[in-house]
Structure formats: structure tokens, C-alpha cells
Amino acid sequence: MRDLLMKSIERNVQLEMVYVAKDGVISQRRIKVLQVGVVSFRAYCDLRKSSRTFMIDNILALVPVISRERIVV
């Protein structure tokens, strides 16, 4: 997980994340990773519209968001 977080910073890519909070609530979020530490990371969360701190061990799934370009003919 940590490697994918680091690569998203290098490549300036948003991620789609499924995350379990301390209280056990599972949420799906679109994030932009800002900083990665040893056990946690900071990211801008589109759901909350703010910068948040997440625990790496609480990530259930993490995938890059691939934007498609529309071709108008």
C-alpha cells in the first residue's frame, strides 16, 4: 500500500480508497495524497472537502483513478 501511495504523489494521480475508520465505519473516498509517513498519510479527501490523516493499516482497497478523455467528432 505504501508504495502505491508514494507512486501516486510522484505521478500526481488521484486514488479511490475503501477505508475503515476507528469506529468500524467503512467509507469509499476519492483522495489526492499529499504526504506519506511510516504508519499514516495525509491526503485531500473529496468526500470531506479537506485535508485528512489516514492510517495505512486501515485501507481495505486502493486503486488509481483513471480519467478518460472524451473525443468529440
Side-chain angles (χ1 to χ4, degrees):
M1 289 290 177
R2 193 169 189 283
D3 291 338
L4 184 55
L5 292 168
M6 295 297 290
K7 285 180 184 176
S8 74
I9 293 174
E10 292 170 10
R11 297 178 182 163
N12 198 25
V13 174
Q14 275 192 322
L15 299 173
E16 192 80 27
M17 173 176 73
V18 178
Y19 186 80
V20 60
K22 285 187 240 181
D23 59 1
V25 175
I26 297 173
S27 62
Q28 183 173 351
R29 301 162 182 256
R30 185 170 284 201
I31 60 170
K32 172 95 168 106
V33 181
L34 305 171
Q35 184 180 27
V36 179
V38 176
V39 295
S40 64
F41 67 99
R42 299 241 349 125
Y44 179 81
C45 175
D46 284 351
L47 179 67
R48 301 286 183 221
K49 303 288 187 229
S50 66
S51 180
R52 314 279 290 191
T53 300
F54 300 98
M55 300 301 291
I56 295 173
D57 288 345
N58 291 1
I59 299 171
L60 299 177
L62 194 63
V63 293
V65 174
I66 300 170
S67 60
R68 294 184 177 166
E69 293 181 19
R70 291 180 62 178
I71 299 173
V72 180
V73 181

Short mmCIF file of all heavy atoms in Angstrom, two decimals, residues 18-72:
data_model
loop_
_atom_site.label_atom_id
_atom_site.label_comp_id
_atom_site.label_asym_id
_atom_site.label_seq_id
_atom_site.Cartn_x
_atom_site.Cartn_y
_atom_site.Cartn_z
N VAL A 18 -11.08 2.49 -0.26
CA VAL A 18 -12.08 1.97 0.68
C VAL A 18 -11.35 1.90 2.01
O VAL A 18 -10.30 1.26 2.13
CB VAL A 18 -12.62 0.59 0.25
CG1 VAL A 18 -13.61 0.07 1.28
CG2 VAL A 18 -13.25 0.66 -1.13
N TYR A 19 -11.93 2.57 3.02
CA TYR A 19 -11.23 2.79 4.29
C TYR A 19 -12.14 2.45 5.45
O TYR A 19 -13.34 2.73 5.42
CB TYR A 19 -10.82 4.27 4.36
CG TYR A 19 -9.96 4.64 5.53
CD1 TYR A 19 -8.60 4.37 5.53
CD2 TYR A 19 -10.50 5.26 6.65
CE1 TYR A 19 -7.80 4.71 6.60
CE2 TYR A 19 -9.70 5.61 7.72
CZ TYR A 19 -8.35 5.33 7.70
OH TYR A 19 -7.56 5.68 8.77
N VAL A 20 -11.57 1.83 6.48
CA VAL A 20 -12.33 1.55 7.70
C VAL A 20 -11.82 2.47 8.81
O VAL A 20 -10.63 2.52 9.10
CB VAL A 20 -12.25 0.06 8.10
CG1 VAL A 20 -10.84 -0.39 8.36
CG2 VAL A 20 -13.12 -0.22 9.31
N ALA A 21 -12.74 3.25 9.40
CA ALA A 21 -12.39 4.19 10.46
C ALA A 21 -12.20 3.46 11.79
O ALA A 21 -12.50 2.28 11.91
CB ALA A 21 -13.48 5.25 10.58
N LYS A 22 -11.74 4.20 12.79
CA LYS A 22 -11.51 3.62 14.13
C LYS A 22 -12.78 2.99 14.70
O LYS A 22 -12.71 1.97 15.37
CB LYS A 22 -11.05 4.71 15.10
CG LYS A 22 -9.63 5.14 14.94
CD LYS A 22 -9.27 6.09 16.06
CE LYS A 22 -8.87 7.42 15.47
NZ LYS A 22 -8.48 8.40 16.49
N ASP A 23 -13.92 3.60 14.41
CA ASP A 23 -15.19 3.10 14.95
C ASP A 23 -15.81 1.98 14.12
O ASP A 23 -16.90 1.52 14.40
CB ASP A 23 -16.20 4.24 15.12
CG ASP A 23 -16.51 4.96 13.83
OD1 ASP A 23 -15.97 4.57 12.77
OD2 ASP A 23 -17.30 5.92 13.87
N GLY A 24 -15.09 1.54 13.07
CA GLY A 24 -15.54 0.42 12.25
C GLY A 24 -16.37 0.80 11.04
O GLY A 24 -16.79 -0.07 10.28
N VAL A 25 -16.63 2.09 10.84
CA VAL A 25 -17.42 2.53 9.70
C VAL A 25 -16.56 2.48 8.44
O VAL A 25 -15.45 2.99 8.41
CB VAL A 25 -17.95 3.97 9.92
CG1 VAL A 25 -18.67 4.48 8.69
CG2 VAL A 25 -18.85 4.01 11.13
N ILE A 26 -17.10 1.86 7.39
CA ILE A 26 -16.39 1.72 6.12
C ILE A 26 -16.89 2.80 5.16
O ILE A 26 -18.10 3.01 5.04
CB ILE A 26 -16.59 0.32 5.52
CG1 ILE A 26 -15.99 -0.73 6.46
CG2 ILE A 26 -15.99 0.23 4.13
CD1 ILE A 26 -16.27 -2.16 6.06
N SER A 27 -15.95 3.47 4.50
CA SER A 27 -16.32 4.51 3.53
C SER A 27 -15.48 4.37 2.28
O SER A 27 -14.38 3.83 2.30
CB SER A 27 -16.15 5.90 4.14
OG SER A 27 -14.80 6.13 4.46
N GLN A 28 -16.04 4.88 1.18
CA GLN A 28 -15.31 4.93 -0.08
C GLN A 28 -15.00 6.39 -0.35
O GLN A 28 -15.90 7.24 -0.29
CB GLN A 28 -16.15 4.35 -1.21
CG GLN A 28 -15.41 4.31 -2.52
CD GLN A 28 -16.19 3.57 -3.61
OE1 GLN A 28 -17.20 2.94 -3.33
NE2 GLN A 28 -15.71 3.67 -4.82
N ARG A 29 -13.75 6.70 -0.63
CA ARG A 29 -13.31 8.08 -0.79
C ARG A 29 -12.41 8.23 -2.00
O ARG A 29 -11.67 7.32 -2.34
CB ARG A 29 -12.52 8.54 0.44
CG ARG A 29 -13.29 8.47 1.73
CD ARG A 29 -12.35 8.52 2.91
NE ARG A 29 -13.06 8.41 4.16
CZ ARG A 29 -13.29 9.43 4.98
NH1 ARG A 29 -12.86 10.63 4.68
NH2 ARG A 29 -13.95 9.24 6.10
N ARG A 30 -12.46 9.39 -2.60
CA ARG A 30 -11.51 9.76 -3.66
C ARG A 30 -10.53 10.73 -3.01
O ARG A 30 -10.95 11.73 -2.44
CB ARG A 30 -12.23 10.41 -4.82
CG ARG A 30 -11.29 10.70 -5.98
CD ARG A 30 -12.05 11.12 -7.19
NE ARG A 30 -12.67 9.92 -7.77
CZ ARG A 30 -13.06 9.83 -9.03
NH1 ARG A 30 -12.94 10.86 -9.83
NH2 ARG A 30 -13.59 8.72 -9.49
N ILE A 31 -9.24 10.39 -3.08
CA ILE A 31 -8.23 11.18 -2.37
C ILE A 31 -7.09 11.60 -3.29
O ILE A 31 -6.85 10.99 -4.33
CB ILE A 31 -7.65 10.41 -1.16
CG1 ILE A 31 -6.97 9.11 -1.63
CG2 ILE A 31 -8.71 10.15 -0.12
CD1 ILE A 31 -6.16 8.40 -0.56
N LYS A 32 -6.39 12.63 -2.87
CA LYS A 32 -5.15 13.09 -3.50
C LYS A 32 -4.10 13.09 -2.41
O LYS A 32 -4.19 13.87 -1.46
CB LYS A 32 -5.36 14.51 -4.05
CG LYS A 32 -4.13 15.17 -4.55
CD LYS A 32 -3.99 14.96 -6.02
CE LYS A 32 -2.92 15.88 -6.56
NZ LYS A 32 -1.73 15.19 -6.89
N VAL A 33 -3.14 12.18 -2.49
CA VAL A 33 -2.13 12.00 -1.44
C VAL A 33 -1.18 13.20 -1.41
O VAL A 33 -0.66 13.62 -2.44
CB VAL A 33 -1.35 10.68 -1.64
CG1 VAL A 33 -0.32 10.50 -0.54
CG2 VAL A 33 -2.30 9.50 -1.70
N LEU A 34 -0.96 13.72 -0.22
CA LEU A 34 -0.08 14.88 -0.02
C LEU A 34 1.25 14.50 0.60
O LEU A 34 2.29 15.02 0.22
CB LEU A 34 -0.78 15.92 0.87
CG LEU A 34 -2.16 16.40 0.40
CD1 LEU A 34 -2.82 17.24 1.48
CD2 LEU A 34 -2.02 17.16 -0.90
N GLN A 35 1.23 13.56 1.57
CA GLN A 35 2.44 13.20 2.31
C GLN A 35 2.26 11.80 2.87
O GLN A 35 1.19 11.45 3.35
CB GLN A 35 2.63 14.21 3.44
CG GLN A 35 3.87 14.04 4.24
CD GLN A 35 3.94 15.10 5.34
OE1 GLN A 35 2.91 15.60 5.80
NE2 GLN A 35 5.15 15.44 5.75
N VAL A 36 3.33 11.00 2.83
CA VAL A 36 3.28 9.63 3.34
C VAL A 36 4.30 9.47 4.46
O VAL A 36 5.47 9.80 4.30
CB VAL A 36 3.56 8.60 2.22
CG1 VAL A 36 3.51 7.19 2.76
CG2 VAL A 36 2.58 8.77 1.07
N GLY A 37 3.83 8.96 5.59
CA GLY A 37 4.69 8.67 6.72
C GLY A 37 4.87 7.17 6.88
O GLY A 37 4.55 6.39 5.98
N VAL A 38 5.35 6.74 8.02
CA VAL A 38 5.60 5.32 8.28
C VAL A 38 4.30 4.55 8.49
O VAL A 38 4.09 3.50 7.91
CB VAL A 38 6.54 5.15 9.50
CG1 VAL A 38 6.74 3.68 9.81
CG2 VAL A 38 7.87 5.83 9.24
N VAL A 39 3.41 5.09 9.31
CA VAL A 39 2.16 4.38 9.63
C VAL A 39 0.91 5.12 9.16
O VAL A 39 -0.18 4.56 9.17
CB VAL A 39 2.02 4.09 11.14
CG1 VAL A 39 3.09 3.13 11.60
CG2 VAL A 39 2.05 5.37 11.94
N SER A 40 1.06 6.38 8.74
CA SER A 40 -0.10 7.15 8.30
C SER A 40 0.27 8.01 7.10
O SER A 40 1.45 8.10 6.72
CB SER A 40 -0.60 8.04 9.43
OG SER A 40 0.38 9.00 9.78
N PHE A 41 -0.76 8.64 6.51
CA PHE A 41 -0.51 9.54 5.39
C PHE A 41 -1.54 10.66 5.40
O PHE A 41 -2.63 10.52 5.96
CB PHE A 41 -0.51 8.79 4.05
CG PHE A 41 -1.84 8.21 3.65
CD1 PHE A 41 -2.66 8.88 2.75
CD2 PHE A 41 -2.27 7.00 4.15
CE1 PHE A 41 -3.88 8.35 2.37
CE2 PHE A 41 -3.49 6.46 3.78
CZ PHE A 41 -4.30 7.14 2.89
N ARG A 42 -1.19 11.79 4.80
CA ARG A 42 -2.10 12.93 4.66
C ARG A 42 -2.57 12.98 3.23
O ARG A 42 -1.80 12.75 2.30
CB ARG A 42 -1.39 14.24 5.01
CG ARG A 42 -0.90 14.27 6.39
CD ARG A 42 -1.37 15.29 7.37
NE ARG A 42 -2.14 16.42 6.97
CZ ARG A 42 -3.32 16.71 7.52
NH1 ARG A 42 -3.85 15.92 8.41
NH2 ARG A 42 -3.95 17.80 7.17
N ALA A 43 -3.85 13.27 3.08
CA ALA A 43 -4.43 13.35 1.75
C ALA A 43 -5.58 14.32 1.75
O ALA A 43 -6.24 14.52 2.78
CB ALA A 43 -4.90 11.98 1.29
N TYR A 44 -5.83 14.93 0.59
CA TYR A 44 -7.03 15.73 0.43
C TYR A 44 -8.17 14.78 0.09
O TYR A 44 -8.07 14.00 -0.85
CB TYR A 44 -6.87 16.79 -0.68
CG TYR A 44 -8.12 17.61 -0.85
CD1 TYR A 44 -8.37 18.68 0.01
CD2 TYR A 44 -9.05 17.30 -1.83
CE1 TYR A 44 -9.52 19.43 -0.12
CE2 TYR A 44 -10.21 18.04 -1.95
CZ TYR A 44 -10.44 19.11 -1.10
OH TYR A 44 -11.60 19.83 -1.22
N CYS A 45 -9.24 14.83 0.88
CA CYS A 45 -10.38 13.94 0.70
C CYS A 45 -11.51 14.70 0.01
O CYS A 45 -11.99 15.71 0.54
CB CYS A 45 -10.83 13.43 2.07
SG CYS A 45 -12.31 12.44 2.02
N ASP A 46 -11.94 14.23 -1.16
CA ASP A 46 -13.05 14.86 -1.88
C ASP A 46 -14.37 14.72 -1.13
O ASP A 46 -15.24 15.58 -1.22
CB ASP A 46 -13.20 14.27 -3.28
CG ASP A 46 -12.14 14.76 -4.25
OD1 ASP A 46 -11.38 15.68 -3.90
OD2 ASP A 46 -12.06 14.21 -5.36
N LEU A 47 -14.53 13.64 -0.36
CA LEU A 47 -15.77 13.43 0.40
C LEU A 47 -15.95 14.49 1.47
O LEU A 47 -17.02 15.07 1.63
CB LEU A 47 -15.76 12.03 1.03
CG LEU A 47 -16.97 11.66 1.88
CD1 LEU A 47 -18.22 11.54 1.01
CD2 LEU A 47 -16.72 10.34 2.62
N ARG A 48 -14.89 14.77 2.22
CA ARG A 48 -14.95 15.75 3.32
C ARG A 48 -14.51 17.15 2.89
O ARG A 48 -14.61 18.10 3.67
CB ARG A 48 -14.07 15.30 4.49
CG ARG A 48 -14.47 13.96 5.05
CD ARG A 48 -15.72 14.07 5.87
NE ARG A 48 -16.03 12.78 6.45
CZ ARG A 48 -17.23 12.27 6.52
NH1 ARG A 48 -18.26 12.95 6.06
NH2 ARG A 48 -17.44 11.10 7.06
N LYS A 49 -13.97 17.28 1.70
CA LYS A 49 -13.50 18.56 1.17
C LYS A 49 -12.46 19.21 2.08
O LYS A 49 -12.47 20.41 2.32
CB LYS A 49 -14.66 19.54 0.96
CG LYS A 49 -15.76 19.04 0.06
CD LYS A 49 -15.32 19.02 -1.36
CE LYS A 49 -16.50 18.68 -2.27
NZ LYS A 49 -16.22 17.66 -3.20
N SER A 50 -11.53 18.37 2.59
CA SER A 50 -10.46 18.88 3.45
C SER A 50 -9.30 17.90 3.49
O SER A 50 -9.42 16.75 3.06
CB SER A 50 -10.98 19.14 4.86
OG SER A 50 -11.33 17.92 5.48
N SER A 51 -8.19 18.36 4.03
CA SER A 51 -7.02 17.52 4.21
C SER A 51 -7.24 16.65 5.45
O SER A 51 -7.63 17.16 6.50
CB SER A 51 -5.78 18.40 4.37
OG SER A 51 -4.65 17.62 4.56
N ARG A 52 -6.99 15.35 5.32
CA ARG A 52 -7.24 14.40 6.41
C ARG A 52 -6.01 13.51 6.61
O ARG A 52 -5.22 13.34 5.69
CB ARG A 52 -8.43 13.50 6.07
CG ARG A 52 -9.65 14.19 5.53
CD ARG A 52 -10.48 14.80 6.56
NE ARG A 52 -11.10 13.72 7.33
CZ ARG A 52 -12.06 13.91 8.19
NH1 ARG A 52 -12.50 15.11 8.42
NH2 ARG A 52 -12.59 12.91 8.86
N THR A 53 -5.91 12.92 7.79
CA THR A 53 -4.86 11.95 8.09
C THR A 53 -5.49 10.57 8.16
O THR A 53 -6.51 10.39 8.84
CB THR A 53 -4.17 12.28 9.43
OG1 THR A 53 -3.60 13.58 9.33
CG2 THR A 53 -3.07 11.26 9.73
N PHE A 54 -4.91 9.62 7.44
CA PHE A 54 -5.41 8.25 7.39
C PHE A 54 -4.32 7.28 7.85
O PHE A 54 -3.14 7.52 7.61
CB PHE A 54 -5.82 7.87 5.96
CG PHE A 54 -6.89 8.74 5.38
CD1 PHE A 54 -6.57 9.79 4.54
CD2 PHE A 54 -8.23 8.50 5.66
CE1 PHE A 54 -7.56 10.59 4.00
CE2 PHE A 54 -9.22 9.29 5.13
CZ PHE A 54 -8.89 10.35 4.29
N MET A 55 -4.73 6.19 8.48
CA MET A 55 -3.80 5.13 8.88
C MET A 55 -3.65 4.16 7.71
O MET A 55 -4.67 3.71 7.15
CB MET A 55 -4.32 4.39 10.11
CG MET A 55 -4.53 5.29 11.32
SD MET A 55 -3.03 6.13 11.85
CE MET A 55 -2.08 4.76 12.46
N ILE A 56 -2.43 3.83 7.34
CA ILE A 56 -2.18 2.93 6.21
C ILE A 56 -2.79 1.55 6.46
O ILE A 56 -3.36 0.95 5.56
CB ILE A 56 -0.67 2.84 5.91
CG1 ILE A 56 -0.15 4.21 5.44
CG2 ILE A 56 -0.38 1.76 4.87
CD1 ILE A 56 1.35 4.31 5.28
N ASP A 57 -2.72 1.06 7.70
CA ASP A 57 -3.26 -0.27 8.03
C ASP A 57 -4.78 -0.35 7.91
O ASP A 57 -5.34 -1.45 7.85
CB ASP A 57 -2.86 -0.68 9.44
CG ASP A 57 -1.38 -1.04 9.53
OD1 ASP A 57 -0.75 -1.25 8.47
OD2 ASP A 57 -0.87 -1.11 10.66
N ASN A 58 -5.48 0.79 7.86
CA ASN A 58 -6.94 0.80 7.78
C ASN A 58 -7.48 0.84 6.35
O ASN A 58 -8.68 0.90 6.15
CB ASN A 58 -7.51 1.97 8.59
CG ASN A 58 -7.33 1.79 10.07
OD1 ASN A 58 -6.75 0.81 10.53
ND2 ASN A 58 -7.80 2.74 10.84
N ILE A 59 -6.59 0.80 5.38
CA ILE A 59 -7.01 0.80 3.97
C ILE A 59 -7.43 -0.62 3.60
O ILE A 59 -6.69 -1.57 3.77
CB ILE A 59 -5.86 1.25 3.04
CG1 ILE A 59 -5.42 2.67 3.37
CG2 ILE A 59 -6.28 1.14 1.59
CD1 ILE A 59 -4.16 3.10 2.65
N LEU A 60 -8.65 -0.75 3.06
CA LEU A 60 -9.14 -2.04 2.60
C LEU A 60 -8.86 -2.24 1.11
O LEU A 60 -8.60 -3.35 0.68
CB LEU A 60 -10.65 -2.16 2.86
CG LEU A 60 -11.07 -2.06 4.33
CD1 LEU A 60 -12.59 -2.12 4.43
CD2 LEU A 60 -10.43 -3.17 5.14
N ALA A 61 -8.96 -1.16 0.33
CA ALA A 61 -8.69 -1.22 -1.12
C ALA A 61 -8.20 0.14 -1.58
O ALA A 61 -8.61 1.17 -1.05
CB ALA A 61 -9.94 -1.62 -1.88
N LEU A 62 -7.34 0.12 -2.58
CA LEU A 62 -6.76 1.35 -3.10
C LEU A 62 -6.46 1.16 -4.58
O LEU A 62 -5.70 0.26 -4.94
CB LEU A 62 -5.47 1.65 -2.33
CG LEU A 62 -4.84 3.01 -2.44
CD1 LEU A 62 -5.77 4.08 -1.89
CD2 LEU A 62 -3.53 3.06 -1.68
N VAL A 63 -7.07 1.99 -5.43
CA VAL A 63 -6.84 1.90 -6.88
C VAL A 63 -6.70 3.30 -7.47
O VAL A 63 -7.34 4.24 -7.00
CB VAL A 63 -7.96 1.14 -7.61
CG1 VAL A 63 -8.00 -0.32 -7.22
CG2 VAL A 63 -9.30 1.79 -7.38
N PRO A 64 -5.88 3.44 -8.50
CA PRO A 64 -5.75 4.75 -9.15
C PRO A 64 -7.02 5.10 -9.92
O PRO A 64 -7.70 4.23 -10.45
CB PRO A 64 -4.58 4.57 -10.12
CG PRO A 64 -4.08 3.20 -9.97
CD PRO A 64 -4.96 2.46 -9.03
N VAL A 65 -7.34 6.39 -9.95
CA VAL A 65 -8.47 6.89 -10.74
C VAL A 65 -7.95 7.20 -12.13
O VAL A 65 -7.02 8.00 -12.28
CB VAL A 65 -9.08 8.15 -10.10
CG1 VAL A 65 -10.16 8.73 -10.99
CG2 VAL A 65 -9.61 7.82 -8.73
N ILE A 66 -8.51 6.56 -13.12
CA ILE A 66 -8.08 6.77 -14.50
C ILE A 66 -9.13 7.62 -15.19
O ILE A 66 -10.30 7.22 -15.30
CB ILE A 66 -7.91 5.43 -15.24
CG1 ILE A 66 -6.86 4.58 -14.53
CG2 ILE A 66 -7.56 5.67 -16.69
CD1 ILE A 66 -6.77 3.17 -15.02
N SER A 67 -8.72 8.80 -15.60
CA SER A 67 -9.66 9.68 -16.29
C SER A 67 -9.58 9.43 -17.78
O SER A 67 -8.49 9.27 -18.34
CB SER A 67 -9.37 11.14 -15.98
OG SER A 67 -8.06 11.47 -16.41
N ARG A 68 -10.73 9.36 -18.39
CA ARG A 68 -10.77 9.14 -19.83
C ARG A 68 -11.06 10.45 -20.54
O ARG A 68 -11.89 11.23 -20.09
CB ARG A 68 -11.88 8.13 -20.17
CG ARG A 68 -11.60 6.78 -19.63
CD ARG A 68 -12.65 5.84 -20.08
NE ARG A 68 -12.35 4.49 -19.61
CZ ARG A 68 -13.20 3.51 -19.62
NH1 ARG A 68 -14.41 3.68 -20.06
NH2 ARG A 68 -12.84 2.32 -19.17
N GLU A 69 -10.39 10.63 -21.65
CA GLU A 69 -10.63 11.84 -22.44
C GLU A 69 -11.77 11.57 -23.40
O GLU A 69 -11.85 10.51 -24.00
CB GLU A 69 -9.37 12.22 -23.24
CG GLU A 69 -8.23 12.66 -22.36
CD GLU A 69 -7.03 13.05 -23.19
OE1 GLU A 69 -7.19 13.32 -24.40
OE2 GLU A 69 -5.92 13.08 -22.64
N ARG A 70 -12.65 12.53 -23.52
CA ARG A 70 -13.75 12.39 -24.48
C ARG A 70 -13.32 12.97 -25.81
O ARG A 70 -12.76 14.05 -25.89
CB ARG A 70 -14.98 13.13 -23.99
CG ARG A 70 -15.59 12.47 -22.78
CD ARG A 70 -16.80 13.20 -22.33
NE ARG A 70 -17.81 13.19 -23.38
CZ ARG A 70 -18.99 13.72 -23.27
NH1 ARG A 70 -19.33 14.34 -22.16
NH2 ARG A 70 -19.85 13.68 -24.28
N ILE A 71 -13.60 12.22 -26.84
CA ILE A 71 -13.27 12.68 -28.19
C ILE A 71 -14.56 13.13 -28.85
O ILE A 71 -15.53 12.37 -28.98
CB ILE A 71 -12.62 11.55 -29.02
CG1 ILE A 71 -11.31 11.11 -28.34
CG2 ILE A 71 -12.38 12.01 -30.44
CD1 ILE A 71 -10.67 9.90 -28.98
N VAL A 72 -14.60 14.40 -29.21
CA VAL A 72 -15.78 14.95 -29.85
C VAL A 72 -15.53 15.02 -31.35
O VAL A 72 -14.54 15.58 -31.80
CB VAL A 72 -16.09 16.36 -29.30
CG1 VAL A 72 -17.33 16.94 -29.97
CG2 VAL A 72 -16.26 16.30 -27.78
#
